[in-house]
Amino acid sequence: MNTGLTHIFGKHGAGRDGHPHQGERPDLEMFRGMRHDHVTGLSNRHGFGEALERRLTAGHPTALVLIDIDQFSTINAVIGHRQGDQILLAIADRLRGLHADHTHIARLGDDEFGLLLDATHGLQAVEAAVLHLLRTLTQPLAAGLDEVTASSSLGVALTPTHALDAEGLIRAATAALTRVKAAGGGSWRVFDPHHDIAQQARTQMKADLQAAIQAGEIVPYYQPIIDLQTGRMLSLEVLARWHHHERAPIPPDIFIPLAEEMDLETPLTTSLMRRVLADQHDWPPHLTFAFNLSPGQMRDVISLIRNPPAWPEGHLDPRRMEIEIAAVALGEEADAARDVMAELQSHGTRVVLDDFGTGTANITQLRQLPFDRVKIDRSFILDIAHDPRAEACVRGMLTLGQSLNIDMVAEAIETQENANLLAGLGCRFGQGYLFSRPVPSEEVASLCHRYA
Ligand code: G
Ligand code: G
Ligand code: MN
């Protein structure tokens, strides 16, 4: 799919259908031809753009419907271009047969059509028309001797509700269409401004992320993990925080998935490690640092350990590193993780299974992989005092940990009551707001005092 502004109004004038052939002199007749698509006889995007501008200039409320035939290139490849063209013709006829008032129909690209509908009667009337349109398009089409059923995706936007000018209207309808395609096609959507804003914010954030990592805008916060029997601090979990130079702090739930999409997770982890190295100078040397990683990053960390970067500060001793892997992320990949994990452990790095109890195949992961430590997911701990079933699950997990000789950590301990309860159940380690929220490096020294 490639709908969009330039697509419809194309810098290339009339688009592929109306281009004057080389050597021919464009005359008036040819320019007239440039407003039509020669396969279907409908307007092309040039003609369509003019019709849209005319309607908007005249102040008619207008709905723009963008139609994209799903997997048309596959259809073309399977049944051949000639029959493909017949499908396009059949679709064009369906559209013409709608006989709606004040419609303008166009073929905008290879497998894209556009429709202008009168929106004087508001969104509901437009929605009814679009629903009818989608039904019409899903009826089998004659393609030569064959009948073909093609599914389509439709994106809809209205003036003045979603935009006031042609450019905004096309952008809105394209955004709606993109969402339909992303959800698998075969459906329709009206533009949703909230989604569009979220999308814009994401795009902007993605543009900022790489620079932010380089500029050190993403910093480690530290949350202690406490030995529930001795009250001493065992290690610090490193949690990334993005102090954006011109926005409110951005939480990791938002930027970590973006980093993942952009293959920036390891640069991010590396920059955190470097920062931790600088931060920890005055802290007790027995403390370890737990980094959250996706399973795919374990190899990268091994490379980092084998060939430490030439930082002037030196590098972090692998024996002071822990790697937390979320159970959900590990999924069924436990087998692939085994060797990588063994090598990490051979360097003295501990590997922790995070969010235990959520996701699938958890117990299998414990059976297959020699974790040093397991964190019981917060959902069990938050409810433990009031939900006997949550408590029963935690008991079971603790017994399992004991049998496998794995250290168990309860995360999200918020109350003294829960800390006592868990200690009573034999849970050795705990983490949570009761002890401390994740804090910036300046506040770690006082934590070291408190939990010495
Ligand atoms: O702090 P909290 O809201 O801080 O963290 C939310 C989620 O983000 C947690 O699941 C945590 O594991 C994850 N997270 C925090 N920092 C990092 C990081 O540096 N890398 C990865 N992959 N996840 C992180
Ligand atoms: O997925 P992971 O376990 O890495 O996530 C750590 C997350 O747990 C961070 O977002 C951190 O802020 C959050 N967290 C830490 N302590 C508590 C707590 O006591 N209660 C709750 N609800 N969340 C906590
Ligand atoms: Mn974690």
Side-chain angles (χ1 to χ4, degrees):
M1 191 194 63
N2 137 35
T3 2
L5 280 184
T6 48
H7 203 126
I8 290 186
F9 294 108
K11 290 203 175 70
H12 312 296
R16 65 165 202 159
D17 306 307
H19 264 307
H21 296 291
Q22 264 193 342
E24 286 177 50
R25 199 153 44 83
D27 55 21
L28 210 62
E29 197 48 44
M30 180 145 276
F31 276 117
R32 198 161 292 142
M34 286 168 75
R35 287 179 178 76
H36 287 89
D37 164 53
H38 68 86
V39 175
T40 60
L42 297 173
S43 317
N44 61 19
R45 57 187 181 228
H46 189 59
F48 191 69
E50 285 182 352
L52 176 57
E53 290 286 1
R54 263 198 313 275
R55 281 195 64 91
L56 298 187
T57 310
H60 298 307
T62 299
L64 168 61
V65 184
L66 293 177
I67 303 166
D68 189 278
I69 315 298
D70 297 330
Q71 286 165 346
F72 187 69
S73 52
T74 312
I75 297 177
N76 244 340
V78 171
I79 67 171
H81 280 263
R82 285 243 325 262
Q83 287 196 42
D85 279 357
Q86 285 182 326
I87 292 185
L88 293 175
L89 259 175
I91 289 175
D93 283 341
R94 289 272 154 87
L95 295 175
R96 278 195 197 94
L98 289 171
H99 296 304
D101 287 342
H102 310 293
T103 10
H104 190 98
I105 310 164
R107 181 173 172 220
L108 303 175
D110 289 342
D111 56 350
E112 295 162 29
F113 294 85
L115 214 69
L116 299 178
L117 298 173
D118 180 46
T120 312
H121 302 294
L123 181 60
Q124 277 195 335
V126 170
E127 285 180 340
V130 170
L131 205 57
H132 176 63
L133 175 60
L134 189 64
R135 285 212 192 97
T136 309
L137 288 172
T138 27
Q139 305 296 321
L141 301 156
L145 297 175
D146 299 330
E147 279 208 332
V148 175
T149 309
S151 94
S152 320
S153 302
L154 280 62
V156 186
L158 271 63
T159 60
T161 319
H162 301 136
L164 295 174
D165 58 6
E167 197 174 316
L169 189 64
I170 293 163
R171 198 183 308 122
T174 304
L177 177 58
T178 305
R179 286 194 72 192
V180 176
K181 296 297 263 188
S187 182
W188 64 286
R189 248 177 219 273
V190 175
F191 173 68
D192 172 0
H194 299 295
H195 183 271
D196 192 54
I197 288 164
Q199 198 61 39
Q200 273 177 23
R202 260 171 61 89
T203 310
Q204 180 59 44
M205 234 181 255
K206 275 176 108 165
D208 291 350
L209 185 58
Q210 184 151 24
I213 294 171
Q214 276 160 4
E217 273 182 21
I218 300 181
V219 299
Y221 269 46
Y222 300 89
Q223 191 181 31
I225 293 156
I226 306 290
D227 183 325
L228 295 177
Q229 276 155 26
T230 63
R232 295 188 67 201
M233 183 152 80
L234 169 81
S235 69
L236 289 162
E237 179 170 6
V238 176
L239 294 155
R241 297 286 180 268
W242 183 357
H243 293 290
H244 196 282
H245 56 281
E246 51 188 21
R247 289 169 207 261
I250 302 168
D253 296 335
I254 295 192
F255 67 81
I256 297 290
L258 298 184
E260 223 167 291
E261 280 171 39
M262 298 175 71
D263 278 334
L264 287 173
E265 269 194 300
T266 295
L268 172 59
T269 304
T270 312
S271 82
L272 289 174
M273 285 178 173
R274 185 167 183 182
R275 201 57 172 256
V276 169
L277 183 64
D279 286 346
Q280 54 81 43
H281 269 298
D282 306 327
W283 305 343
H286 72 270
L287 283 181
T288 54
F289 301 98
F291 296 89
N292 291 282
L293 254 64
S294 68
Q297 281 184 272
M298 283 198 280
R299 276 180 205 288
D300 298 336
V301 170
I302 289 179
S303 312
L304 218 64
I305 292 174
R306 283 190 195 145
N307 306 304
W311 293 330
E313 315 84 306
H315 50 86
L316 205 57
D317 183 341
R319 286 168 299 184
R320 296 189 63 194
M321 289 199 306
E322 296 177 23
I323 300 299
E324 294 195 4
I325 304 285
V328 192
L330 196 55
E332 314 275 327
E333 291 177 54
D335 239 6
R338 186 201 307 272
D339 293 346
V340 197
M341 213 170 123
E343 176 162 2
L344 279 172
Q345 289 170 325
S346 76
H347 290 283
T349 302
R350 289 190 192 79
V351 186
V352 181
L353 183 62
D354 206 352
D355 305 332
F356 183 66
T358 62
T360 52
N362 265 214
I363 296 196
T364 302
Q365 290 164 357
L366 277 192
R367 177 177 167 200
Q368 294 180 335
L369 298 173
F371 286 100
D372 297 287
R373 204 170 281 156
V374 168
K375 275 192 177 178
I376 301 172
D377 188 66
R378 84 195 66 174
S379 52
F380 296 97
I381 309 301
L382 288 170
D383 291 341
I384 194 166
H386 309 287
D387 178 356
R389 302 182 75 90
E391 188 194 318
C393 289
V394 172
R395 273 178 201 276
M397 289 188 241
L398 291 171
T399 306
L400 189 60
Q402 251 164 24
S403 319
L404 290 169
N405 204 13
I406 298 176
D407 284 341
M408 300 300 277
V409 185
E411 67 178 10
I413 301 181
E414 296 185 352
T415 62
Q416 190 60 53
E417 182 191 8
N418 283 0
N420 297 343
L421 203 138
L422 283 156
L425 292 177
C427 183
R428 178 80 192 276
F429 300 103
Q431 176 184 13
Y433 298 160
L434 171 67
F435 307 108
S436 168
R437 293 187 173 260
V439 296
S441 60
E442 308 86 82
E443 294 176 37
V444 171
S446 86
L447 286 180
C448 294
H449 264 279
R450 203 183 324 157
Y451 299 109

